[in-house]
Amino acid sequence: MNVDIGNALSSVASPGISRAGLERIDEQVAVAHERIERGMADGEHGYEALNLPEKTDPDEIRTAVEPVADCETLVTVGIGGSALGAATIVDALEAQGDGTETVFLDNVDPAWVSRRLEGLTLSETAINVVSRSGMTAETLANFLVVREAFDSAGVDWTERTIVTTGESGPLRELADRHDLPSLAVPDGVPGRYAALSAVGLVAAAVCDLDIEAILEGADAERKSLTGSLFECPAYAYGATAYALDGRGAGINAMMPYAESLETFAEWFAQLWAESLGKDDLGQTPVRALGATDQHSQLQLYRAGPRDKLVTFVTPQARADRSIPDTDVEDLAYLGDATLGELLEAEFSATEASLAAAGQPNVRIELERVDAAELGGLLYGMEAACVLAGELYGVNTFEQPAVEWAKNATRGLLGGGEFEEAEAVAAKTELRVER
């Protein structure tokens, strides 16, 4: 992973940061890096996530998934970090897998869940249920729905299920009672940072993706962490995003130029929002996709308020396909090009368009979208986020606002007495009815 922050400099963009400003922030980066290294060495909560490339055992994961490795479809039941990392990996590397269909039940909209389950041959389907606590309401509700579907089809779900959970809780008890293959959610690793553990790699292993290469790519990025943003791509990105937020770019539009990385933008949005959105601080991440959103969002990014950083992710090499010749004179130029060349031209034009308008943007470059580069990208963004949290001075690894909503939900469903649930009744209304 390489990072180009040239279009975020104040000589080009507004808001922007000067080279002198970067050098001042670099002094803070050195201090933050020492804190991060100490947290990693001591295995502290959150910082332990940055040790995953060394600690995750791919052989353990492959052994655990063997009983379901022959499935035609894998249904992963999880939500948030328990699903997005896995979805990012299998979506990005789908063309390199064995053709296993993947379904991610990460919402509880009843019509949507029903549609996702319709048409599946359940005797050829496996279940991957993921929850650290084993008590996540959405995950357990969907798991019960899936189990019922298996029972109704006369398929023994206990022979088709793998569990990833913590050391205790309902899912751990279930796995022990039915002798289900299971893996542990690593201690000290929040869900949104768990993509490089069994949480994110079970689905990849079932799809026969190269999880060793994913971890090797992540480890290469780990070894690039140093005390200077000028020597570390991950820190360059985290420090620049932090600096631009302080100068008015409070929105971060993540815009990969590869269809296979669309889910990555969703994963990044959770990582950035849940980690940094505290104490009235933090950038708001939004998701975009090149070249699609040149035709739906670029107008705002180029000519709208100067409150955004646009982050591009682009591979330097990709599979390609030629554009057929045409006898339409105005389109003849396309016959001399490929779809890849067109997409690269779209990216270059969009990047230049923003720079010409003085709108800050950063380019993240991958050699290609493969297992090693994807592992490096995921690790690099995690490290960038941890660094940004250090610079903001927030606890990057907690999510109290999320816990508030969880408590309110449980209280509303009769799962206990929670004062958060009482606040729902206090909602102010100003209704306009037909």
Side-chain angles (χ1 to χ4, degrees):
M1 183 184 85
N2 296 318
V3 173
D4 181 355
I5 60 176
N7 281 346
L9 295 174
S10 56
S11 58
V12 177
S14 177
I17 182 168
S18 67
R19 177 68 186 230
L22 283 172
E23 290 174 354
R24 287 192 296 272
I25 287 180
D26 202 38
E27 297 175 6
Q28 301 174 52
V29 169
V31 174
H33 175 63
E34 290 181 2
R35 174 67 185 98
I36 292 169
E37 278 197 318
R38 187 166 64 252
M40 292 171 63
D42 294 343
E44 291 183 45
H45 178 77
Y47 300 97
E48 179 69 359
L50 299 180
N51 292 324
L52 286 177
E54 287 186 304
K55 293 192 173 183
T56 299
D57 184 351
D59 291 333
E60 180 185 28
I61 295 171
R62 291 201 183 279
T63 299
V65 306
E66 281 180 4
V68 299
D70 62 344
C71 67
E72 292 183 359
T73 303
L74 178 69
V75 177
T76 296
V77 185
I79 196 166
S82 294
L84 272 175
T88 294
I89 292 169
V90 298
D91 287 352
L93 304 178
E94 180 181 13
Q96 301 163 38
D98 63 2
T100 302
E101 179 185 4
T102 54
V103 175
F104 290 88
L105 293 185
D106 60 351
N107 204 336
V108 289
D109 181 289
W112 180 83
V113 170
S114 297
R115 288 196 303 271
R116 300 295 280 171
L117 294 178
E118 287 173 1
L120 295 181
T121 303
L122 296 182
S123 60
E124 302 295 336
T125 298
I127 308 167
N128 170 33
V129 57
V130 187
S131 169
R132 176 192 297 278
S133 68
M135 297 179 62
T136 308
E138 299 90 343
T139 300
L140 270 293
N142 275 338
F143 181 46
L144 292 172
V145 168
V146 174
R147 278 176 45 179
E148 181 182 57
F150 271 68
D151 288 339
S152 297
V155 179
D156 186 351
W157 62 268
T158 66
E159 295 182 355
R160 312 294 300 166
T161 300
I162 182 169
V163 173
T164 305
T165 190
E167 294 182 357
S168 61
L171 277 183
R172 175 55 61 194
E173 294 170 6
L174 183 79
D176 292 344
R177 183 164 66 251
H178 294 284
D179 196 26
L180 304 178
S182 64
L183 289 158
V185 177
D187 289 337
V189 179
R192 59 189 176 277
Y193 289 91
L196 298 170
S197 73
V199 172
L201 295 177
V202 163
V206 172
C207 294
D208 199 27
L209 296 173
D210 193 344
I211 59 177
E212 289 83 1
I214 293 170
L215 293 169
E216 288 167 6
D219 194 50
E221 206 65 39
R222 180 189 65 82
K223 292 174 181 175
S224 77
L225 300 183
T226 69
S228 173
L229 69 89
F230 297 108
E231 298 173 1
C232 174
Y235 285 174
Y237 181 74
T240 300
Y242 161 78
L244 291 181
D245 183 23
R247 289 159 174 78
I251 297 171
N252 189 338
M254 176 57 70
M255 193 171 186
Y257 267 75
E259 187 80 24
S260 62
L261 293 177
E262 183 175 15
T263 310
F264 161 76
E266 296 184 38
W267 173 86
F268 173 84
Q270 182 194 6
L271 177 76
W272 215 246
E274 201 167 42
S275 297
L276 304 177
K278 288 136 191 175
D279 302 332
D280 298 325
L281 298 170
Q283 279 182 321
T284 299
V286 299
R287 298 170 289 184
L289 179 66
T292 302
D293 288 317
Q294 288 175 221
H295 298 270
S296 63
Q297 298 179 29
L298 181 58
Q299 176 65 38
L300 174 68
Y301 297 161
R302 190 178 196 275
R306 294 183 174 275
D307 58 357
K308 286 170 283 294
L309 162 66
V310 177
T311 301
F312 297 112
V313 181
T314 182
Q316 296 174 320
R318 65 178 88 231
D320 212 346
R321 183 165 185 159
S322 61
I323 301 172
D325 292 331
T326 176
D327 57 4
V328 178
E329 184 176 350
D330 288 345
L331 300 179
Y333 72 97
L334 291 175
D336 295 326
T338 66
L339 289 177
E341 289 170 343
L342 175 58
L343 187 59
E344 179 61 29
E346 298 260 27
F347 161 67
S348 297
T350 301
E351 183 184 51
S353 169
L354 293 176
Q359 298 281 15
N361 58 91
V362 169
R363 180 197 298 195
I364 298 173
E365 295 176 338
L366 309 179
E367 289 185 14
R368 62 188 58 80
V369 181
D370 64 11
E373 288 290 291
L374 180 65
L377 177 64
L378 294 174
Y379 188 93
M381 291 299 97
E382 290 178 3
C385 189
V386 173
L387 174 78
E390 298 292 335
L391 297 177
Y392 280 113
V394 300
N395 186 330
T396 317
F397 308 114
E398 66 175 5
Q399 50 283 330
V402 177
E403 300 305 321
W404 194 100
K406 286 182 179 180
N407 290 340
T409 300
R410 289 193 66 185
L412 291 171
L413 292 174
E417 296 293 330
F418 295 94
E419 63 181 21
E420 292 90 344
E422 299 173 5
V424 176
K427 177 190 176 300
T428 300
E429 291 188 352
L430 177 56
R431 302 177 67 88
V432 180
E433 300 181 348
R434 178 169 58 85

